[in-house]
Amino acid sequence: MTKYIFKRILMLIPVIIGVSLLIFIMLDLAPGTVLDIIANDYSPEQLEELRHQLGYDRSVFYRYGKYMWDLVHGDLGISYIYKTPVWDLYMQRLPSTLKLAGASVLVSILLSIPLGILAARKHGSITDNVSMVAALLGLSMPNFWLGLMLIILFSLNLGWFPSSGDTEGIKSLILPAITIGTGLMATLTRTTRSSMLDVIRSDYLRTARAKGVPEKAVIRKHALKNALIPIITVIGTQMGRTLGGSVVTENVFSWPGIGRLTIEAVKQRDTITVTGCIIMSVIMISIIQLIVDIAYAFVDPRLKSQYSTASKRRKRIGRTPEVRANGT
Amino acid sequence: MNAENRENLRPDQENVLEIDHLTVHYVLEDETVEAVNDISIQLKKGKIMGLVGETGAGKTSTALAVLNLIPDPPGVIRSGRVLINGRDMLKLSKKELEEVRGSEVSMIFQDPMTSLNPVFTVGEQIAESIRLHEKCDQKKAMERAEEMLSLVGIPPERAAEYPHQFSGGMKQRVVIAIALACNPHLLLADEPTTALDVTIQAQVLDLMVNLKQKMNTSMIFITHDLGIVAEICDEVAVMYAGRIIERGTLDDIFNHTRHPYTEGLFNSLPDIDNRTAELKPIPGLMPDPTMLPKGCAFAPRCPYARPECIETPQKEQAVSDTHFVMCSAYQDPSFRIQRQEVFYE
Ligand SMILES: Nc1ncnc2c1ncn2[C@@H]1O[C@H](COP(=O)(O)OP(=O)(O)OP(=O)(O)O)[C@@H](O)[C@H]1O
Ligand SMILES: [Mg+2]
C-alpha cells in the first residue's frame, strides 16, 4: 500500500512539471510583459535592473526553472500591480474558495448519492424519471444565469441572503454554494444512478439477500461499495475544478476567491499573479487526484492486493520463502 | 410464528419443504416467459431430491421462488405456496424472510464467478451470515468462517483474500461454504459441481452426503448429471418446460421410468457397457417458454406422441404412492414405453 501511494506521489511530479511548463510558456508567449505596464513608475535604469532580475534577458526555460525553484520555497514572485507577494495574495483568497468548494461539494454529495441510489432502485418509476429530468435541468442551467436568478429572488426580492461578498458567514455562502452545487449535483446524481444500476442486478447482491442480509445493508454495504469508483472519480474532478476557483460564480457573487483573483489579474495584465494562480490550481488538482487514487485502492481490493507486499501475502497464504524457492 | 402460519402447518410434519401449485412467470415488455408452471414437490427431512432437466427448464427459477428471491421486475410469482417447516415463504414479512434466509434455508448459486462480492474478503462474506444469524461478534464469526473454509478444503489462512485471488473451483467452494455456514435445514444446491474438476466434484458430493447424514439436512440438488443423481439422491423430479413431468424415488425414476422425456434423458447418456454405441440425443428443442402449448410441451419431440397429446392439458397421475407422471398417454392402460431400447431411428 505504501508502495502504491509512493508511486502515485512520484507520478505527480512529471504531471505537475509538464502542465506548469505548458502554462508558463503560453503565458510567456502573450505579447507584452509586466515591464510594459509598470514602465511609467520606474526610471529606465530601474527597469533594466528589473528586466535582469525577472530574467527577461534570458530564455523562457531559465525563467521557468527559476520560477519553480522559488515556488518550492513558497515564493511565487511579486505582483507589481498589488505590490505584494503573489503567495500572500493567493493564501488570502484561498480560504474563501476552499469554503465555497467544500460547501458545494459536500451538499452535492449528501443530496446526490441518496437520490441516485433511490433513482436506481426505483428504476423506470416516476421517482426515477423526475429526478433524472431534474438532473438534466440542473446540468443545463448555466451558472451565471442561475446565480443571477438566485440573487434576484432571494436577495433583491426576499432579502434573505446577501447578494455579494463573503462577510456574513454561512448566510453569504448559501447562494453561491447552491449555484455551484446544482451543476455538481446533476452530474453526481446521474453517475450514482448509472453506477448503482450496473450493480443492483448483480448476482452477488442476490447471494447477499439469500444469506439474509437486511435490504438496507444490501444496498449500503454490498452495492454502494461496488458502485463507488465512478462516484469517487466524479467527486474528485469536481472538487479539483472548484478549488481552481469558479470564475463565473465568484464573479457573479463578488466572492473574494481564487477565481476572482485570477480574473482581476488577467484584466490588469498581471501575468505573474495569473501564472501563480493557475500553477497553484494545477498543484491543487493534482493533490486531489492523488487522494482519489488512494481512495480507489481502499475501495477496490483488486488494486490493493496488487501492491500488497510480498511478505504479507506469503504470511496470508501460509507459504514460506523456501517452498517458493524450491518451486521455481 | 403468527396464527396464519400455524394454520399452515400440515399434519405431515416430516416435510421440510412443500411446494404447492407454484407458478412463476417473467413478464417482459411484449411477452411473458412461463418459467415455472403449477409445480408441486414434497421433500422430507434428511432427503436429497435431484431436480433434473434441460437448460431453461425452470430449475433455478424454482429454487429462487423457494427463497422468495425471484427478481421483481420482471419476475412474478403468480400462485402457489412454498412451505418450509410449515411456514409459507411467500407470505412472510421482510423481516421474517431475512431471518429464514441463510439460516433455515440457503442456496448454493449456479455461477460462482459472479456470485461473490468482489470488494469483500471471502472470510467476511462467510462470516456475514454467521454474524447475522447466530448473533455472535465479528471475531467469533471469522473463526467459524475459517473453519467453514477448511471444511470445503481451502486453507483457512486464505480467508483474508478477495474473490479475484481465487480460482473458479475455489470460488465455487466458497459459495458452498457460505450456504452451509449456518447449518440450514434445507439446502438448495444449483449445479454446485459443474465448475469443479472430477476429484473435487467427488469431494464436494461427499461433503453434501456427510452433511445430510450428520445434520439431517434436506436438499434440492439441481443438476444435468444423472450420474450424480444416481449417486446421492433419494428422490428425483424431472422438469420440462416449467413442469415436473415425472417424480418419484430414485428407484421409481431409474428402474421404472414412465415418461418418454425421462426415457429420452437416459437414452442420451453414454452407455458404459457399450462404448461404441451411438449417443441418442433427444431430437429437437424445448418449446419457446413464451408460447407453451395447451397440452403436452414435449409432444413435438416425443416418439410416442399422438395427435391429441398437444391438445389435452396434462395432469399428474399416480403410478404408485411415491411415483407420479404427467403423460396423458397412460390413460390408455396398455401404454408402455420401451426404456433402453433404440427408438429414434
Ligand atoms: N430474470 C429473467 N428475466 C426473464 N426471463 C428469465 C429470467 N430468469 C430466467 N428467465 C427465463 O426463465 C426460464 C427458466 O430459467 P431458469 O434459469 O429457471 O432455467 P434453468 O432450468 O435453471 O436453466 P439452466 O440449467 O440453464 O440453469 C428460461 O426460459 C429463462 O430464459
Ligand atoms: Mg439454472
Side-chain angles (χ1 to χ4, degrees):
Chain A
M1 222 18 227
T2 353
K3 197 172 141 202
Y4 173 75
I5 296 175
F6 192 68
K7 204 172 145 190
R8 288 285 134 172
I9 294 178
L10 278 186
M11 275 165 67
L12 273 188
I13 295 172
V15 171
I16 292 180
I17 290 180
V19 178
S20 57
L21 181 62
L22 201 70
I23 289 166
F24 200 87
I25 293 177
M26 269 167 20
L27 288 173
D28 203 78
L29 282 178
T33 65
V34 68
L35 294 173
D36 305 330
I37 299 163
I38 59 174
N40 295 337
D41 308 349
Y42 295 86
S43 69
E45 293 78 40
Q46 281 172 317
L47 276 181
E48 201 48 46
E49 174 62 26
L50 265 175
R51 180 183 299 278
H52 179 69
Q53 241 181 42
L54 295 176
Y56 279 112
D57 50 354
R58 314 276 286 266
S59 84
V60 60
F61 296 105
Y62 169 81
R63 285 197 298 278
Y64 174 72
K66 185 166 173 295
Y67 186 88
M68 291 309 276
W69 179 252
D70 290 343
L71 170 64
V72 176
H73 298 88
D75 177 7
L76 289 171
I78 290 171
S79 159
Y80 287 90
I81 305 290
Y82 294 97
K83 308 268 190 300
T84 28
V86 176
W87 182 267
D88 295 349
L89 281 175
Y90 186 83
M91 286 304 157
Q92 231 172 31
R93 302 293 189 99
L94 187 62
S96 287
T97 288
L98 277 182
K99 208 158 50 175
L100 185 53
S104 45
V105 171
L106 191 72
V107 168
S108 87
I109 289 175
L110 289 182
L111 292 176
S112 309
I113 292 184
L115 194 63
I117 292 176
L118 187 72
R121 288 185 63 188
K122 310 246 151 137
H123 178 51
S125 71
I126 295 193
T127 326
D128 182 22
N129 289 328
V130 168
S131 55
M132 282 309 103
V133 168
L136 202 65
L137 270 179
L139 207 58
S140 37
M141 274 189 287
N143 279 0
F144 75 88
W145 181 83
L146 180 61
L148 287 176
M149 287 302 132
L150 289 176
I151 289 176
I152 291 174
L153 184 61
F154 292 104
S155 309
L156 300 184
N157 289 347
L158 295 170
W160 290 354
F161 304 108
S163 66
S164 68
D166 178 17
T167 47
E168 294 178 44
I170 296 276
K171 252 178 127 182
S172 357
L173 191 58
I174 287 177
L175 292 187
I178 291 179
T179 309
I180 298 179
T182 306
L184 302 189
M185 253 185 78
T187 327
L188 196 54
T189 308
R190 290 173 69 93
T191 311
T192 308
R193 171 179 176 271
S194 71
S195 157
M196 278 302 274
L197 271 182
D198 284 344
V199 173
I200 223 156
R201 291 277 149 144
S202 63
D203 285 354
Y204 50 81
L205 289 200
R206 194 177 62 187
T207 311
R209 291 194 182 101
K211 281 195 284 193
V213 178
E215 190 60 25
K216 259 189 200 157
V218 169
I219 298 297
R220 287 190 198 156
K221 188 175 155 197
H222 287 264
L224 190 56
K225 197 166 176 205
N226 276 282
L228 223 44
I229 287 206
I231 298 178
I232 292 176
T233 312
V234 170
I235 294 175
T237 322
Q238 295 181 334
M239 194 73 199
R241 265 212 323 247
T242 39
L243 274 186
S246 324
V247 173
V248 172
T249 311
E250 286 188 6
N251 269 293
V252 170
F253 289 95
S254 311
W255 187 260
I258 308 290
R260 193 123 179 280
L261 176 66
T262 314
I263 281 297
E264 281 162 8
V266 167
K267 277 190 202 146
Q268 306 182 59
R269 294 262 213 110
D270 187 357
T271 325
I272 190 113
T273 307
V274 176
T275 314
C277 287
I278 296 181
I279 288 183
M280 285 306 283
S281 300
V282 170
I283 293 174
M284 286 286 189
I285 291 172
S286 305
I287 291 173
I288 298 279
Q289 200 52 53
L290 174 74
I291 296 172
V292 166
D293 280 347
I294 294 172
Y296 283 163
F298 275 101
V299 171
D300 190 347
R302 277 158 292 200
L303 251 177
K304 192 158 65 181
S305 65
Q306 207 178 321
Y307 287 90
S308 74
T309 52
S311 63
K312 212 159 129 200
R313 178 179 257 148
R314 223 176 289 124
K315 204 171 87 201
R316 273 201 269 113
I317 306 181
R319 262 190 233 145
T320 60
E322 286 83 344
V323 173
R324 269 192 153 182
N326 290 342
T328 46
Chain B
M1 215 184 276
N2 60 36
E4 188 190 35
N5 284 330
R6 198 169 299 130
E7 189 189 2
N8 283 340
L9 279 175
R10 284 300 186 85
D12 191 2
Q13 281 279 344
E14 285 269 273
N15 283 339
V16 170
L17 172 69
E18 202 174 315
I19 299 179
D20 262 349
H21 301 287
L22 176 71
T23 299
V24 180
H25 289 175
Y26 295 101
V27 182
L28 309 178
E29 211 147 281
D30 40 26
E31 55 188 18
T32 298
V33 182
E34 302 180 355
V36 177
N37 302 301
D38 194 29
I39 68 166
S40 301
I41 289 177
Q42 291 91 34
L43 183 62
K44 290 198 168 40
K45 200 169 177 56
K47 297 282 183 210
I48 303 184
M49 173 183 278
L51 186 57
V52 294
E54 272 167 274
T55 177
K59 306 181 295 294
T60 302
S61 303
T62 306
L64 287 176
V66 170
L67 283 169
N68 198 353
L69 258 187
I70 293 283
D72 167 29
V76 193
I77 297 179
R78 280 276 151 84
S79 64
R81 296 197 306 171
V82 175
L83 305 187
I84 292 180
N85 292 327
R87 287 211 278 176
D88 190 345
M89 288 294 278
L90 309 182
K91 293 216 175 88
L92 294 187
S93 71
K94 260 193 176 164
K95 187 138 191 321
E96 288 170 314
L97 268 180
E98 282 159 8
E99 279 165 19
V100 173
R101 288 179 189 155
S103 67
E104 266 182 66
V105 50
S106 63
M107 179 158 173
I108 300 171
F109 287 98
Q110 188 169 9
D111 187 356
M113 304 312 278
T114 56
S115 293
L116 295 173
N117 195 329
V119 303
F120 295 105
T121 66
V122 296
E124 284 166 347
Q125 298 190 49
I126 302 171
E128 188 174 26
S129 63
I130 301 173
R131 218 186 55 231
L132 281 169
H133 297 297
E134 309 195 346
K135 313 277 181 253
C136 59
D137 60 17
Q138 179 67 17
K139 192 164 161 286
K140 183 101 195 310
M142 278 309 278
E143 278 166 22
R144 279 279 314 280
E146 290 180 5
E147 278 167 33
M148 287 314 297
L149 274 182
S150 45
L151 186 73
V152 294
I154 295 176
E157 305 85 55
R158 301 200 63 171
E161 286 181 37
Y162 291 91
H164 72 274
Q165 293 165 294
F166 280 44
S167 72
M170 288 163 74
K171 279 186 205 161
Q172 177 74 74
R173 284 188 269 168
V174 173
V175 172
I176 294 174
I178 291 176
L180 300 186
C182 296
N183 295 322
H185 301 205
L186 173 65
L187 181 64
L188 309 165
D190 194 355
E191 307 194 25
T193 56
T194 317
L196 305 176
D197 58 63
V198 188
T199 35
I200 306 293
Q201 189 170 335
Q203 284 174 21
V204 168
L205 291 181
D206 272 353
L207 184 81
M208 306 229 152
V209 174
N210 267 338
L211 200 77
K212 169 187 119 164
Q213 283 161 353
K214 268 197 249 150
M215 304 289 183
N216 225 359
T217 312
S218 313
M219 277 180 229
I220 299 273
F221 197 101
I222 298 176
T223 179
H224 293 129
D225 188 339
L226 285 168
I228 295 181
V229 172
E231 219 170 293
I232 69 164
C233 295
D234 306 296
E235 281 158 50
V236 186
V238 183
M239 206 161 176
Y240 187 82
R243 291 206 168 81
I244 298 219
I245 49 96
E246 186 167 9
R247 65 187 166 112
T249 63
L250 190 66
D251 178 61
D252 289 337
I253 304 296
F254 276 62
N255 302 328
H256 308 280
T257 313
R258 280 295 190 282
H259 200 283
Y261 176 67
T262 319
E263 180 186 44
L265 283 183
F266 283 117
N267 284 344
S268 56
L269 286 181
D271 186 345
I272 297 185
D273 304 325
N274 180 6
R275 281 172 189 273
T276 52
E278 241 182 292
L279 295 186
K280 308 278 179 326
I282 308 171
L285 292 172
M286 214 176 67
D288 182 351
T290 60
M291 289 184 295
L292 291 181
K294 201 164 77 196
C296 175
F298 185 60
R301 303 166 75 185
C302 178
Y304 310 96
R306 306 158 185 207
E308 62 269 25
C309 285
I310 304 196
E311 296 302 316
T312 333
Q314 303 288 312
K315 280 204 206 67
E316 209 171 56
Q317 303 166 50
V319 178
S320 70
D321 283 353
T322 53
H323 192 177
F324 300 87
V325 65
M326 193 180 266
C327 176
S328 54
Y330 284 100
Q331 277 158 8
D332 169 4
S334 64
F335 179 74
R336 288 284 175 275
I337 58 165
Q338 309 184 12
R339 166 114 148 94
Q340 261 134 32
E341 286 187 23
V342 178
F343 255 54
Y344 305 110
E345 280 175 357

